[in-house]
Amino acid sequence: MTAHRRTARALALGAGGSTAAGLYAATANPWLCIPGLYAAAVLAWCAARYNTAHHRQLAEERWETAHVLGERPGPLNPCCEIADHSGGLVHDRRRCTNVFHRLIADLAHDHRSST
Ligand SMILES: [Zn+2]
């Protein structure tokens, strides 16, 4: 179990608690359910994002294991988190799942460090 998975479960638990609190508050006044349900929606969204990060980490670990064992696994989509956020301009030298991008990132890093 990764740290992302633990965080996702804690956030999902918080979302469930916020939902229950919101529904309980609605018994006094229906408008009081809004803060609880809003917090539940935000917590559920965060839990979903952390769950996605958990699955991404597992996929990267499987890819790295296959790569180290000499297999030629295809790159993940996106190949790395930095490429996803930079529009493919920058790649992670250590965690990119595209071997060619790792090589290019190493060359770019060496070029920058020599000047
Ligand atoms: Zn990449």
Side-chain angles (χ1 to χ4, degrees):
M1 183 184 306
T2 64
H4 293 118
R5 177 68 128 200
R6 281 190 294 273
T7 304
R9 287 182 176 175
L11 289 168
L13 183 66
S18 294
T19 300
L23 293 177
Y24 178 73
T27 59
N29 184 342
W31 290 103
L32 290 178
C33 72
I34 292 175
L37 295 181
Y38 178 78
V42 170
L43 290 171
W45 181 82
C46 291
R49 302 286 58 86
Y50 272 97
N51 199 35
T52 301
H54 164 73
H55 288 290
R56 172 69 189 198
Q57 184 176 352
L58 292 181
E60 286 180 357
E61 288 173 1
R62 280 193 303 271
W63 186 93
E64 191 67 33
T65 301
H67 179 66
V68 168
L69 292 176
E71 299 173 17
R72 291 181 173 210
L76 300 177
N77 185 17
C79 57
C80 56
E81 295 292 327
I82 295 176
D84 190 27
H85 295 291
S86 69
L89 295 176
V90 182
H91 294 274
D92 194 335
R93 293 184 314 137
R94 296 184 180 160
R95 296 183 60 195
C96 186
T97 58
N98 189 324
V99 178
F100 181 71
H101 291 163
R102 281 187 180 189
L103 177 65
I104 297 298
D106 278 340
L107 291 175
H109 178 74
D110 290 342
H111 176 69
R112 278 181 290 197
S113 63
S114 65
T115 55

